[in-house]
Coordinates of all heavy atoms in Angstrom, one line a residue:
C12 N -102.2 18.6 -21.0 CA -103.3 18.3 -22.0 C -103.4 19.4 -23.0 O -103.7 20.6 -22.6 CB -104.6 18.1 -21.2 SG -106.0 17.8 -22.3
D13 N -103.3 19.1 -24.3 CA -103.6 20.0 -25.4 C -105.0 19.6 -25.8 O -105.1 18.7 -26.6 CB -102.6 20.0 -26.5 CG -102.8 21.0 -27.5 OD1 -103.4 22.1 -27.2 OD2 -102.5 20.7 -28.7
F14 N -106.0 20.4 -25.4 CA -107.4 20.0 -25.6 C -107.9 20.6 -26.9 O -107.8 21.7 -27.2 CB -108.2 20.5 -24.4 CG -109.6 20.0 -24.4 CD1 -110.0 18.8 -23.8 CD2 -110.6 20.7 -25.0 CE1 -111.3 18.3 -23.8 CE2 -111.9 20.3 -25.1 CZ -112.3 19.1 -24.5
H15 N -108.7 19.7 -27.6 CA -109.4 20.1 -28.8 C -110.8 19.6 -28.6 O -111.0 18.6 -27.9 CB -108.8 19.6 -30.1 CG -107.4 20.0 -30.3 ND1 -107.1 21.1 -31.1 CD2 -106.2 19.6 -29.8 CE1 -105.7 21.3 -31.0 NE2 -105.2 20.4 -30.3
P16 N -111.8 20.2 -29.3 CA -113.2 19.7 -29.1 C -113.4 18.2 -29.4 O -114.2 17.6 -28.7 CB -114.0 20.6 -30.1 CG -113.2 21.8 -30.2 CD -111.8 21.4 -30.2
S17 N -112.7 17.6 -30.4 CA -113.0 16.2 -30.7 C -111.9 15.3 -30.2 O -112.0 14.1 -30.3 CB -113.2 16.0 -32.2 OG -112.0 16.5 -32.9
W18 N -110.7 15.8 -29.7 CA -109.7 15.0 -29.2 C -108.7 15.8 -28.3 O -108.9 17.0 -28.2 CB -108.9 14.3 -30.4 CG -108.3 15.4 -31.3 CD1 -108.9 16.0 -32.3 CD2 -107.0 15.9 -31.3 NE1 -108.1 16.9 -33.0 CE2 -106.9 16.8 -32.3 CE3 -105.9 15.7 -30.5 CZ2 -105.7 17.5 -32.6 CZ3 -104.7 16.4 -30.7 CH2 -104.6 17.3 -31.8
Q19 N -107.8 15.1 -27.7 CA -106.8 15.8 -26.9 C -105.5 15.0 -26.9 O -105.5 13.8 -27.0 CB -107.3 15.9 -25.4 CG -107.6 14.6 -24.7 CD -108.1 14.8 -23.3 OE1 -107.4 15.0 -22.4 NE2 -109.5 14.8 -23.2
Q20 N -104.4 15.8 -26.9 CA -103.1 15.2 -26.9 C -102.6 15.4 -25.4 O -102.6 16.5 -24.9 CB -102.1 15.9 -27.8 CG -100.7 15.4 -27.8 CD -100.6 14.1 -28.5 OE1 -101.2 13.8 -29.5 NE2 -99.8 13.2 -27.9
I21 N -102.2 14.3 -24.8 CA -101.7 14.3 -23.4 C -100.3 13.8 -23.3 O -99.8 13.0 -24.1 CB -102.6 13.6 -22.4 CG1 -102.6 12.1 -22.7 CG2 -104.0 14.2 -22.4 CD1 -103.3 11.2 -21.6
E33 N -97.0 9.6 -23.6 CA -97.9 10.5 -24.4 C -99.0 9.7 -25.1 O -98.7 8.5 -25.4 CB -97.1 11.4 -25.3 CG -96.3 10.7 -26.4 CD -97.0 10.5 -27.7 OE1 -98.1 11.1 -27.9 OE2 -96.5 9.7 -28.5
H34 N -100.1 10.3 -25.3 CA -101.2 9.6 -26.0 C -102.2 10.6 -26.6 O -102.4 11.7 -26.0 CB -101.9 8.7 -25.0 CG -102.8 7.7 -25.7 ND1 -102.4 6.6 -26.4 CD2 -104.2 7.6 -25.7 CE1 -103.4 5.9 -26.8 NE2 -104.5 6.5 -26.4
K35 N -102.8 10.2 -27.7 CA -103.9 11.0 -28.3 C -105.2 10.3 -28.0 O -105.3 9.1 -28.2 CB -103.7 11.2 -29.8 CG -104.8 12.0 -30.5 CD -104.5 12.1 -32.0 CE -105.6 12.9 -32.6 NZ -105.3 13.1 -34.1
L36 N -106.1 11.1 -27.3 CA -107.4 10.5 -26.9 C -108.5 11.1 -27.8 O -108.6 12.3 -27.9 CB -107.7 10.9 -25.5 CG -106.6 10.4 -24.4 CD1 -107.0 11.0 -23.1 CD2 -106.5 8.9 -24.4
V37 N -109.3 10.2 -28.5 CA -110.4 10.6 -29.3 C -111.7 10.6 -28.4 O -112.0 9.6 -27.9 CB -110.5 9.7 -30.5 CG1 -111.8 10.1 -31.4 CG2 -109.3 9.7 -31.3
H38 N -112.3 11.8 -28.3 CA -113.5 11.9 -27.4 C -114.6 11.0 -27.8 O -115.3 10.4 -27.0 CB -113.9 13.4 -27.3 CG -112.8 14.2 -26.7 ND1 -112.7 15.6 -27.0 CD2 -111.8 14.0 -25.9 CE1 -111.7 16.1 -26.4 NE2 -111.1 15.1 -25.7
A39 N -115.0 11.0 -29.1 CA -116.1 10.2 -29.6 C -116.0 8.8 -29.3 O -117.1 8.1 -29.2 CB -116.3 10.5 -31.1
E40 N -114.8 8.3 -29.2 CA -114.6 6.8 -28.9 C -114.6 6.5 -27.4 O -114.3 5.4 -27.0 CB -113.4 6.3 -29.6 CG -113.5 6.5 -31.1 CD -112.2 6.1 -31.8 OE1 -111.3 5.6 -31.2 OE2 -112.2 6.4 -33.1
E42 N -112.3 7.5 -25.2 CA -111.0 7.2 -24.7 C -110.7 8.1 -23.5 O -110.0 7.6 -22.6 CB -110.0 7.4 -25.8 CG -110.1 6.4 -26.9 CD -109.1 6.7 -28.1 OE1 -108.5 7.7 -28.1 OE2 -109.0 5.8 -29.0
A43 N -111.1 9.3 -23.5 CA -110.8 10.2 -22.3 C -111.5 9.6 -21.1 O -110.8 9.5 -20.0 CB -111.3 11.6 -22.6
Y47 N -109.0 8.4 -18.0 CA -109.0 9.2 -16.7 C -109.7 8.4 -15.6 O -109.4 8.5 -14.4 CB -109.6 10.6 -16.9 CG -108.8 11.5 -17.7 CD1 -109.1 11.8 -19.0 CD2 -107.6 12.1 -17.2 CE1 -108.3 12.6 -19.8 CE2 -106.8 12.9 -17.9 CZ -107.1 13.2 -19.2 OH -106.3 14.0 -20.0
M58 N -104.4 22.4 -18.6 CA -104.8 22.6 -20.0 C -105.0 24.1 -20.2 O -105.2 24.9 -19.2 CB -106.0 21.9 -20.3 CG -107.3 22.2 -19.6 SD -108.7 21.2 -20.0 CE -109.4 22.3 -21.3
T61 N -110.0 27.1 -23.0 CA -110.6 26.8 -24.3 C -112.1 26.6 -24.2 O -112.6 26.2 -23.1 CB -109.9 25.6 -25.0 OG1 -110.4 25.5 -26.3 CG2 -110.1 24.3 -24.2
N63 N -115.8 24.7 -25.2 CA -116.2 23.3 -25.4 C -115.5 22.3 -24.5 O -115.4 21.1 -24.9 CB -116.1 22.9 -26.9 CG -116.9 23.7 -27.8 OD1 -118.0 24.2 -27.5 ND2 -116.4 24.0 -29.0
W66 N -117.6 19.7 -20.3 CA -117.9 18.3 -20.1 C -116.6 17.6 -19.5 O -116.7 16.8 -18.7 CB -118.4 17.6 -21.3 CG -117.4 17.4 -22.4 CD1 -117.1 18.3 -23.4 CD2 -116.4 16.4 -22.5 NE1 -116.0 17.8 -24.2 CE2 -115.6 16.6 -23.6 CE3 -116.2 15.2 -21.8 CZ2 -114.6 15.8 -24.1 CZ3 -115.2 14.3 -22.2 CH2 -114.4 14.6 -23.3
F67 N -115.5 18.0 -20.1 CA -114.2 17.3 -19.7 C -113.8 17.8 -18.3 O -113.4 16.9 -17.5 CB -113.1 17.7 -20.7 CG -111.8 17.2 -20.3 CD1 -111.5 15.8 -20.2 CD2 -110.7 18.1 -20.0 CE1 -110.3 15.3 -19.8 CE2 -109.5 17.6 -19.6 CZ -109.3 16.2 -19.5
T96 N -96.6 22.3 -32.1 CA -97.4 21.1 -32.5 C -98.2 20.7 -31.3 O -98.0 21.2 -30.2 CB -96.5 19.9 -32.9 OG1 -95.8 19.5 -31.8 CG2 -95.5 20.3 -34.1
D97 N -99.2 19.9 -31.5 CA -100.0 19.5 -30.4 C -99.2 18.7 -29.3 O -99.4 19.0 -28.1 CB -101.2 18.6 -30.9 CG -102.1 19.4 -31.8 OD1 -102.4 20.5 -31.5 OD2 -102.5 18.8 -32.8
K98 N -98.3 17.9 -29.7 CA -97.5 17.2 -28.7 C -96.6 18.2 -28.0 O -96.4 18.1 -26.8 CB -96.6 16.1 -29.4 CG -95.8 15.3 -28.4 CD -95.1 14.1 -29.1 CE -94.3 13.4 -28.1 NZ -93.5 12.3 -28.7
D100 N -97.2 21.3 -27.4 CA -98.1 22.0 -26.5 C -98.3 21.3 -25.2 O -98.2 21.8 -24.1 CB -99.4 22.3 -27.2 CG -99.3 23.4 -28.3 OD1 -98.3 24.0 -28.4 OD2 -100.4 23.5 -29.0
A101 N -98.6 20.0 -25.3 CA -98.9 19.2 -24.2 C -97.6 19.0 -23.3 O -97.6 19.1 -22.1 CB -99.4 17.8 -24.6

Side-chain angles (χ1 to χ4, degrees):
C12 175
D13 185 31
F14 186 90
H15 298 266
S17 60
W18 58 277
Q19 59 185 275
Q20 179 71 42
I21 63 169
E33 59 95 11
H34 194 68
K35 181 177 179 178
L36 304 172
V37 178
H38 298 155
E40 297 173 9
E42 292 177 350
Y47 291 105
M58 63 182 266
T61 184
N63 299 324
W66 70 268
F67 174 65
T96 66
D97 297 317
K98 184 175 178 182
D100 288 351

